[in-house]
Amino acid sequence: MTKRLSEQAILITGGASGIGRAAAESCARDGAKLAISDVNVEAGEETVSALRELGADAVFIRADVSISSEVESLIGKVVEKFGCLDGAFNNAGIESSWAHTVKASEEDFDRTIAVNLKGVWLCLKHEIKQMLEQGRGGSIVNTASVAGLVGARGGGSYVASKHGVVGLTKTASLEFSSKGVRVNSVCPGIIETPMVTRMLSETGLSKQVMIDQEPIGRLGEPKEIGDAVAWLLSNESSFVTGIAMPVDGGYTAV
Ligand code: NAD
C-alpha cells in the first residue's frame, strides 16, 4: 500500500528536538524523505540517524531560521539533495523569558520575533518560491501555538510572535492556495518537550499548574502534534488551507 507521504520531500525546521523531531518521525513512518534543519548540529545528526533507522531517506542541514541567507541556502540544499520540495514544517522556535509587559526586555522581544516570526516569514518566502517554480503545488505547516489564539500573562513577545504566525499563514494561504500551495498552522497546547522543561525551571512553576490549564487533564505528547502535522502535509487534508488548527487538549475551549 502506498503511504500517504510516499516519495514526498519534506523540510522540517527545529527538527532536532521536541515537536519537530516527533513530526519528522511521523512523516518518516508515512514514507517521506526528510531534510532536518536546526541550529543544534549534534541533536540534528542524531535525529537523522534515528530517522534512517525508521527506513527514511534523511539529511541534516544546519541553518538559523532568523538569518535570510541561511534560509535561502537551506532551500537550495534541500532541492540539491532531493530534486524538489513538496512540503515544509516551519517549526523552529524559542520561548521568550517570562516577564509581564512592563518588565520584559527589548532584547528578548527582538530575539523572539526574529526567530519565531521572521524565521517563519523567511521560510515561507523561499519555500513558496521554490514550489511555484516546480509548478506542482505543495503543503506548508507553520507552528503557531495556543498563544497564537489567546493571550498569556507574562508571555507578551511569545504571544505576539505566534499571533503573527497565524496572520502570515492566513495571508500566504489567500495568496497561493489557488496555485496549489496550501498553507496551514498548527496550534499546540502545552506539550512535554525540552522547551516546557526549561520554562518550568525558569518560572519555578509546578508541572501540575500547567496540567490544570489543560481540560483533558494532562500535557500533550510531541507525537500528538507530529501526527496532526503529517496529516496537514499530506493530500488527506487537500481542502484544508489557511487554518490555525488547535491540537490542545481543550486549552482554547474555555
Ligand atoms: P524544543 O526547544 O524542544 O525544540 C525547538 C527546536 O528549535 C530546537 O531543536 C532548537 O535548537 C531549534 N531552534 C531554536 N532556534 C532556532 C533557530 N534560530 N533556527 C533553527 N532552529 C532553531 O521546543 P518545542 O517545544 O519542540 O517547540 C517547537 C515549536 O513548537 C516552537 O515553535 C514552539 O514555540 C512551539 N510550541 C511549543 C509548545 C510546547 O508546549 N512545547 C506549545 C506550542 C507551540
Side-chain angles (χ1 to χ4, degrees):
M1 199 182 74
T2 312
K3 295 178 176 174
R4 64 181 173 177
L5 291 175
S6 244
E7 292 306 305
Q8 300 283 299
I10 291 175
L11 164 66
I12 299 187
T13 70
S17 176
I19 290 170
R21 178 170 172 151
E25 288 167 358
S26 297
C27 291
R29 285 190 204 93
D30 283 335
K33 301 184 277 195
L34 289 154
I36 301 302
S37 188
D38 206 288
V39 286
N40 187 334
V41 176
E42 200 183 331
E45 297 285 9
E46 201 273 315
T47 301
V48 162
S49 301
L51 294 171
R52 287 181 183 146
E53 274 173 34
L54 289 173
D57 185 357
V59 65
F60 175 73
I61 304 166
R62 191 209 168 276
D64 181 333
V65 294
S66 68
I67 300 174
S68 182
S69 57
E70 294 195 13
V71 175
E72 186 172 9
S73 131
L74 167 65
I75 306 305
K77 286 175 186 167
V78 176
V79 175
E80 217 170 275
K81 164 77 181 165
F82 294 125
C84 61
L85 177 71
D86 300 301
F89 180 33
N90 299 323
N91 163 76
I94 53 171
E95 66 276 24
S96 54
S97 294
W98 225 240
H100 67 57
T101 302
V102 174
K103 287 201 169 161
S105 79
E106 194 173 336
E107 188 190 8
D108 187 60
F109 183 88
D110 287 346
R111 185 67 193 147
T112 305
I113 296 296
V115 177
N116 293 5
L117 183 55
K118 186 180 171 190
V120 169
W121 179 73
L122 286 171
C123 287
L124 283 172
K125 237 174 129 55
H126 294 289
E127 290 160 358
I128 294 171
K129 183 167 177 278
Q130 175 61 32
M131 288 173 176
L132 294 177
E133 277 169 22
Q134 291 170 190
R136 56 167 198 265
S139 177
I140 300 177
V141 182
N142 300 317
T143 302
S145 168
V146 288
L149 302 172
V150 296
R153 291 176 192 87
S157 54
Y158 186 80
V159 167
S161 71
K162 295 302 186 178
H163 274 69
V165 169
V166 170
L168 286 178
T169 303
K170 288 179 181 172
T171 299
S173 165
L174 291 175
E175 292 170 339
F176 300 107
S177 292
S178 65
K179 301 190 169 61
V181 179
R182 293 185 298 115
V183 187
N184 291 293
S185 58
V186 66
C187 298
I190 309 173
I191 312 300
E192 291 215 64
T193 68
M195 178 182 283
V196 163
T197 307
R198 288 192 300 274
M199 285 167 74
L200 286 173
S201 129
E202 192 205 328
T203 58
L205 287 174
S206 70
K207 188 171 164 186
Q208 191 57 46
V209 170
M210 291 208 167
I211 292 172
D212 290 345
Q213 296 176 62
E214 287 289 4
I216 206 165
R218 63 175 175 83
L219 301 188
E221 293 170 18
K223 181 179 184 299
E224 292 175 296
I225 307 301
D227 288 347
V229 170
W231 177 75
L232 282 171
L233 287 170
S234 80
N235 213 34
E236 285 179 9
S237 60
S238 50
F239 202 54
V240 180
T241 188
I243 64 164
M245 185 170 85
V247 183
D248 70 351
Y251 188 106
T252 52
V254 288

